[in-house]
Amino acid sequence: MNEKNQPENEWKLDNPLDEEWDTEEWDTLDDNQAGDGKRSHPLFKVAAILIIMAFVALSYAWLPSIWTTNFDFLKQDKALSDDDIVRRCKPAVVIIQTTRTGEAAAIQGTGFNLEPGGMIVTNRHVVEGASTVEVTFSDDKRLFSQDIDMLDGYDLAIVWLKGKGLPSLPVSDRMAKIGQSVTIIGNPRGFQGVSCRGEVKEYYKTDSGMLVFTIGVAVAPGSSGSPVLDEQGRLVGIVYAAGKIAIDGEEQDRAIAIPSIALLNLSKDKPGN
């Protein structure tokens, strides 16, 4: 990889809990959801604050700035709602919700389908340890699976379904180019099929040796596993984390994605399906 594509600036994590983080790690983007009624964890406090803010913002016209600040990711989605790529690709983007044996909490993320029979790609950290995965398509069709494969060397997983005629995405056989415009479709903060668009910024390898690239756009929790699409609507990457980078003293948001070439050697026919 050319050295000019390596980021030379300091990375900083997005962190709603204001804790100290190692700059060599990033925030993953799955949503943790409470299932046992306990409220002692800081995430429950954040959720409670968001609920209160939503109620107040809807009740008082003098608080629009609070509402728009927390839901800025919906602005670009509105502008892209009639975009051809978004309309064509959105049906293949799914909500992933997992349950784990012995745990009441659930994790929600995003995934997408590559085969009419059901080959769902998402992040490993969304489904790892799950006893059951629930997959919901944009038409509210729900399918369940316990058939999950993890991809060695990548934060990626495949959830196999027993479906028929399911909407799917094509995969590009080329890597996204720096400066190329790409589109992300995900399910952040409980919203379904939210789209955003930005430019590919840089490529580099993580400490574990995983090749990733960054996109100049902000993505919210729940976006883990979102497809990154080129100008033809072909898959070029999978979102798995987010962060900020300081350039000339100014912080810029980044989505961090795994190139889709990691999927090219996979068999699209699960034995036994």
Side-chain angles (χ1 to χ4, degrees):
M1 193 61 59
N2 294 333
E3 290 185 359
K4 67 180 181 179
N5 292 339
Q6 304 291 332
E8 299 178 354
N9 299 282
E10 182 178 357
W11 282 91
K12 179 182 178 183
L13 283 174
D14 293 329
N15 186 9
L17 302 181
D18 297 324
E19 295 178 284
E20 294 294 326
W21 291 77
D22 188 331
T23 55
E24 293 182 352
E25 298 178 355
W26 310 284
D27 280 348
T28 53
L29 294 165
D30 49 287
D31 267 348
N32 289 301
Q33 298 182 336
D36 58 0
K38 297 181 180 179
R39 299 177 180 272
S40 58
H41 194 283
L43 285 177
F44 297 122
K45 296 179 182 179
V46 173
I49 292 171
L50 288 177
I51 292 170
I52 293 171
M53 289 173 60
F55 174 77
V56 173
L58 287 172
S59 303
Y60 296 94
W62 51 270
L63 284 176
S65 60
I66 294 179
W67 181 266
T68 54
T69 297
N70 287 289
F71 294 91
D72 257 0
F73 60 91
L74 294 177
K75 289 182 178 179
Q76 194 176 23
D77 175 64
K78 184 176 181 181
L80 292 172
S81 60
D82 292 327
D83 183 85
D84 180 61
I85 293 174
V86 174
R87 287 191 293 103
R88 285 191 290 111
C89 297
K90 189 181 291 188
V93 180
V94 302
I95 295 173
I96 301 287
Q97 186 162 321
T98 66
T99 56
R100 288 166 167 78
T101 303
E103 295 183 12
I107 289 180
Q108 181 173 304
T110 301
F112 53 89
N113 185 38
L114 294 183
E115 283 294 299
M119 179 185 177
I120 306 297
V121 178
T122 188
N123 289 141
R124 175 194 290 261
H125 70 259
V126 174
V127 298
E128 194 165 31
S131 55
T132 303
V133 177
E134 178 182 330
V135 177
T136 305
F137 285 81
S138 60
D139 61 358
D140 291 330
K141 181 181 182 66
R142 296 188 179 189
L143 296 171
F144 295 84
S145 178
Q146 296 178 324
D147 192 357
I148 307 166
D149 288 336
M150 306 296 177
L151 274 66
D152 292 337
Y154 296 96
D155 188 355
L156 293 174
I158 307 295
V159 179
W160 299 96
L161 303 177
K162 295 185 181 296
K164 185 177 181 181
L166 300 173
S168 58
L169 295 176
V171 181
S172 175
D173 59 358
R174 298 183 180 182
M175 295 176 64
K177 297 179 180 179
I178 292 177
Q180 179 178 352
S181 176
V182 292
T183 303
I184 298 170
I185 305 176
N187 305 305
R189 301 194 185 279
F191 292 88
Q192 188 170 8
V194 174
S195 55
C196 60
R197 184 166 289 163
E199 288 187 356
V200 175
K201 295 296 185 181
E202 52 261 316
Y203 277 90
Y204 59 96
K205 287 188 176 182
T206 66
D207 289 344
S208 65
M210 184 172 67
L211 181 66
V212 299
F213 65 94
T214 72
I215 305 161
V217 69
V219 286
S223 299
S224 280
S226 298
V228 181
L229 308 164
D230 66 11
E231 295 91 337
Q232 286 74 47
R234 299 173 300 188
L235 182 77
V236 292
I238 305 96
V239 173
Y240 88 104
K244 293 181 184 292
I245 187 170
I247 299 178
D248 296 329
E250 180 181 350
E251 287 190 346
Q252 297 183 13
D253 289 303
R254 292 286 194 272
I256 307 171
I258 301 166
S260 61
I261 56 171
L263 302 172
L264 290 179
N265 294 326
L266 291 177
S267 171
K268 290 191 176 183
D269 294 314
K270 175 73 172 180
N273 274 14

